[in-house]
Amino acid sequence: MPLTFSARPALVAYLTCGDPDLATTREVALAAVEAGAAVLELGVPFSDPVADGPVIQRASERALRHRTSLADVLQLAGDLRRQTNAGMIVFSYLNPLLQFGLERFCDAAAKAGLDGALVIDLPVEEAGAYLRAMRARGLATVFLAAPTSTDGRLKQIAEASAGFVYAVSRTGVTGERDQAPQDARELVRRLRRYTRLPVAVGFGISTAQQCAAVGEYADAAVVGSAIVHTIERNPGREAAAVREFVSGLLGGSRAAHRRTSATPA
Amino acid sequence: MATTTISRKKPFGTPGKIAVPGRFGPFGGCYVPETLMAALEELERVYREARRDKKFQEEFSGLLRHYAGRPTPLFFARRLTEKLGGARIYLKREDLLHTGAHKINNCLGQALLTRRMGKQRVIAETGAGQHGVATATVCALLGFQCVVYMGAEDMRRQELNVFRMRLLGAEVRSVEAGSRTLKDAINEAMRDWVTNVRTTHYLLGSVLGAHPYPQMVRDFHSVTGREARAQVRKQAGKLPAAVIACVGGGSNAIGIFSAFLADRGVRLIGVEAGGRGTGLGEHAARFHGGAPGVLQGTYSYVLQDAAGQIATTHSVSAGLDYPGVGPEHAWLKESGRAEYVSASDTEALEACSVLARTEGIIPALESAHAVAECIKRAPKMKRSEVMIVNISGRGDKDMGILREHLKNL
């Protein structure tokens, strides 16, 4: 199953699985894809999400109240795969994966029809066995690149990555921000020297305007907290609300991008 | 810097080209989001240079001596020895240091590194408040802006230390997430660091976290062990049969153990918080109920459930109330060089009274766990044998809790 970004910018939609419950996550995921998301990031809730802001922290707490586990997320992925061809990766902190077992995780991920994984607290230095196990099953290893990463690190990240590279738009935790990312354009430019993989920009992207801005220099925008926030604010009609929100993100950004593209270079 | 890279049982091996320093057997490593990696690399480089820099070492030792009050005494506890009727007990008096605990050693070292890196803002986490107070102190000394994260529950039980930090000019931020204790304070400090990494140094207070912290913090505390080893040989005429220290993250224990690692005849005993029961959530004894896992940057023993979610913990002592333990302790445990036991809340409170009444020394509740093990073990040892107990901090901060628990006084 391909991680393809045909539209530009394509949308990568993050969901904390099990928030508020797994059945709702499945509906929301399908709604996001119908509204145009190219790739789903299935977030595994973790008790200590050090890279996440308050919105995803709260979602993780809600999901953990009924003990949503990595096993549940893998099963959800299998269910989703029967209903959609969209790209699909697991987004997790390392410890749940470690306790599940690395080889067992890779087997189950491949069987569920997942395309890859992003382990947020696993830098390239520590990723040797993970890379081997994932590659052996044709699973994409998505790594983070940060504005603080040195050129040497970007090169290692590019070499270790498959599927796409996730460029962190700014220093900080996940969460919606008012301004457009400052550091991202420069980071993507530096990254492109080392890779021909698609680059997705995430952290702090929550509006159509921001997506459109990302579309000018990157292949995809990752939207997480804003979608999770939409779920939080719309109990009982999560899927419908996310469908509207995602349509709005893409409608605005695609229109804006068409306008920019129409201008001759 | 030692680059121990025995990769047996390492969770995720390393790709050929990239060297991974900071391993203790399979434990340790560097498990943080990419945004922090450059800062950790810078910290490691600056620390490596500073270690070889005579001026840095002189300034550090000078501050330890003239500001913190080193060397600390090694005190022969005559009445406690007589009461227990076994090994001769010596107390390493880290409680006499400026700010009331061993934490100042590491804070001075890291503060000098902060200046060397040209950073002006320091953040820290604190459990009992001792590390927060020590951090606020060194920030005042060197003129840094200081923000300390502290769990709301810990702020309640250590309110005097909150006031001390504020008096020293630090901003104390209350953390309401999770169990509102040390682990949650570290999460919040890491979130601050990932946001302000370009201008801010994270002055981590124990031998925890990603490389280079466990090695660096150990090195800054190793002065305790060097002093104790020289003192015991001079005063007792021999090496001790046992060295006992409490283990939360494990910085005071590593500090004193480090000088005795090569002395195979010296038993090294770490004491964890046994809390109020053996069920998950009732204690903080990582070696009695925990399993290897990754928490807050490092691979070590962690109290967790089968799905890898981190467990809540309980201890009467805020400084030991943490679900992880320093990776070097995990390796000392697995390699058999050190042994780890636990003392319950009740035993620690009792030990606190015993030491107060036999020696006139009120230990911190953390250190009281080490005293509790001493009380159990000394009577079974020969009178010719020597034991050192590390009194890592003093009990002034614990008066509220002691008064609550020892109502019959």
Side-chain angles (χ1 to χ4, degrees):
Chain A
M1 220 62 57
L3 289 168
T4 41
F5 300 122
S6 41
R8 183 159 173 173
L11 181 74
V12 178
Y14 167 92
L15 301 168
T16 300
C17 295
D19 167 38
D21 55 60
L22 285 160
T24 306
T25 304
R26 185 173 60 236
E27 284 171 34
V28 169
L30 293 172
V33 170
E34 281 165 25
V39 172
L40 292 168
E41 276 185 3
L42 301 179
V44 180
F46 184 51
S47 53
D48 293 83
V50 293
D52 286 301
V55 171
I56 294 178
Q57 287 177 46
R58 288 199 300 269
S60 306
E61 280 172 24
R62 286 192 295 268
L64 287 175
R65 246 173 248 155
H66 47 89
R67 299 182 165 270
T68 307
S69 65
L70 176 55
D72 294 328
V73 175
L74 289 164
Q75 183 166 4
L76 172 68
D79 291 351
L80 285 170
R81 182 48 83 218
R82 282 187 281 282
Q83 297 174 71
T84 175
N85 286 324
M88 210 159 52
I89 66 171
V90 161
F91 184 100
S92 184
Y93 288 85
L94 177 57
N95 200 49
L97 210 150
L98 208 54
Q99 303 310 319
F100 191 86
L102 176 59
E103 297 285 332
R104 185 177 160 225
F105 166 74
C106 292
D107 281 339
K111 189 160 168 250
L114 278 155
D115 301 297
L118 193 170
V119 185
I120 192 160
D121 51 353
L122 184 67
V124 285
E125 281 85 346
E126 305 285 1
Y130 166 78
L131 282 172
R132 284 189 292 278
M134 292 284 285
R135 283 172 180 163
R137 291 154 181 93
L139 293 166
T141 48
V142 180
F143 283 90
L144 297 177
T148 49
S149 304
T150 56
D151 282 356
R153 297 196 58 80
L154 290 184
K155 186 161 184 285
Q156 291 172 6
I157 289 161
E159 283 166 3
S161 293
F164 63 96
V165 184
Y166 187 134
V168 176
S169 68
R170 70 188 81 212
T171 59
V173 293
T174 59
E176 300 141 83
R177 309 285 202 291
D178 292 337
Q179 311 134 303
Q182 305 290 320
D183 295 331
R185 185 187 295 266
E186 171 63 11
L187 172 61
V188 173
R189 191 188 62 74
R190 289 168 60 216
L191 250 178
R192 298 254 196 233
R193 278 189 265 160
Y194 304 109
T195 184
R196 302 174 80 163
L197 287 171
V199 177
V201 172
F203 278 43
I205 314 255
S206 61
T207 66
Q209 289 78 359
Q210 289 169 335
C211 284
V214 166
E216 289 169 18
Y217 57 87
D219 303 282
V222 187
V223 178
S225 294
I227 292 176
V228 173
H229 208 172
T230 302
I231 292 168
E232 185 177 54
R233 280 186 299 214
N234 291 278
R237 57 178 299 274
E238 292 89 350
V242 168
R243 188 193 316 269
E244 286 158 28
F245 179 71
V246 169
S247 300
L249 279 179
L250 289 176
S253 70
R254 297 250 162 87
H257 187 64
R258 273 196 299 278
R259 282 197 299 277
T260 25
S261 312
T263 319
Chain B
M1 178 159 301
T3 53
T4 41
T5 47
I6 309 161
S7 64
R8 185 183 68 88
K9 285 174 69 182
K10 234 169 67 178
F12 289 171
T14 55
K17 283 188 291 186
I18 309 166
V20 179
R23 288 280 169 187
F24 305 95
F27 302 105
C30 201
Y31 300 94
V32 295
E34 173 62 24
T35 306
L36 294 179
M37 288 301 292
L40 290 167
E41 285 178 353
E42 180 195 20
L43 181 60
E44 192 202 6
R45 180 177 52 73
V46 170
Y47 176 54
R48 207 168 43 220
E49 289 164 7
R51 281 190 79 181
R52 289 193 300 257
D53 179 350
K54 271 203 183 125
K55 277 198 180 142
F56 177 89
Q57 292 300 343
E58 277 166 19
E59 188 172 12
F60 180 46
S61 338
L63 284 171
L64 286 178
R65 185 176 179 83
H66 301 294
Y67 186 71
R70 303 210 72 93
T72 59
L74 184 74
F75 176 69
F76 175 53
R78 185 179 310 276
R79 295 224 315 133
L80 184 64
T81 299
E82 282 166 8
K83 179 180 164 74
L84 298 174
R88 280 186 285 155
I89 300 159
Y90 285 81
L91 308 175
K92 180 60 175 164
R93 300 290 313 276
E94 295 291 287
D95 59 314
L96 293 176
L97 284 169
H98 181 40
T99 72
H102 70 291
K103 295 290 186 189
I104 192 78
N105 302 326
N106 167 52
C107 287
L108 285 168
Q110 285 198 49
L112 293 179
L113 288 182
T114 305
R115 197 181 60 193
R116 206 177 166 102
M117 289 186 288
K119 292 182 171 178
Q120 285 293 325
R121 181 174 180 269
V122 167
I123 56 170
E125 82 296 337
T126 197
Q130 290 305 101
H131 175 60
V133 167
T135 303
T137 298
V138 298
C139 287
L141 180 69
L142 294 184
F144 299 141
Q145 186 195 344
C146 178
V147 175
V148 178
Y149 290 91
M150 189 168 188
E153 169 65 13
D154 290 341
M155 284 179 75
R156 185 191 64 76
R157 51 182 171 173
Q158 304 285 356
E159 58 177 335
L160 268 179
N161 270 345
V162 175
F163 181 74
R164 286 170 83 194
M165 287 183 268
R166 290 180 173 151
L167 185 63
L168 289 159
E171 179 190 344
V172 183
R173 292 189 187 165
S174 167
V175 179
E176 299 286 345
S179 57
R180 308 189 301 166
T181 56
L182 179 57
K183 172 187 75 126
D184 311 291
I186 295 179
N187 285 342
E188 216 47 47
M190 286 180 79
R191 291 184 187 117
D192 181 315
W193 201 32
V194 87
T195 307
N196 302 301
V197 60
R198 289 176 169 123
T199 59
T200 298
H201 175 61
Y202 180 12
L203 208 165
L204 185 62
S206 193
V207 285
L208 295 167
H211 177 69
Y213 284 102
Q215 286 184 359
M216 182 177 74
V217 176
R218 174 199 64 196
D219 292 351
F220 287 142
H221 283 304
S222 61
V223 61
T224 308
R226 284 196 305 276
E227 283 175 12
R229 192 173 182 281
Q231 287 165 325
V232 76
R233 291 180 71 188
K234 192 167 172 205
Q235 293 171 229
K238 63 199 300 192
L239 284 172
V243 176
I244 302 180
C246 66
V247 180
S251 63
N252 88 83
I254 283 289
I256 196 159
F257 288 178
S258 61
F260 297 97
L261 287 174
D263 303 318
R264 307 306 289 191
V266 179
R267 292 176 75 168
L268 305 175
I269 300 144
V271 188
E272 300 185 283
R276 59 192 169 206
T278 54
L280 201 61
E282 298 295 305
H283 63 88
R286 291 64 46 102
F287 293 121
H288 303 89
V294 166
L295 173 64
Q296 294 170 335
T298 192
Y299 178 63
S300 185
Y301 272 73
V302 179
L303 288 164
Q304 55 184 317
D305 69 14
Q309 305 297 341
I310 309 308
T312 54
T313 51
H314 164 81
S315 170
V316 69
S317 130
L320 305 184
D321 198 353
Y322 180 70
V325 64
E328 189 167 4
H329 285 292
W331 179 231
L332 289 175
K333 152 90 174 162
E334 252 194 42
S335 63
R337 180 62 193 93
E339 57 204 282
Y340 294 83
V341 297
S342 66
S344 69
D345 285 355
T346 312
E347 289 168 333
L349 288 161
E350 173 63 21
C352 198
S353 308
V354 169
L355 194 66
R357 290 172 179 214
T358 53
E359 300 295 345
I361 295 170
I362 303 172
L365 279 171
E366 290 75 19
S367 323
H369 286 70
V371 177
E373 178 61 20
C374 159
I375 292 170
K376 291 180 210 168
R377 195 174 286 250
K380 298 180 213 156
M381 292 169 64
K382 293 187 207 131
R383 287 165 191 267
S384 58
E385 288 180 312
V386 168
M387 168 191 281
I388 297 178
V389 182
N390 199 24
I391 306 299
S392 54
R394 57 180 177 243
D396 306 28
K397 70 184 173 62
D398 294 317
M399 286 308 135
I401 298 166
L402 288 166
R403 197 164 53 184
E404 220 171 277
H405 283 86
L406 306 173
K407 289 197 180 98
N408 54 344
L409 287 185

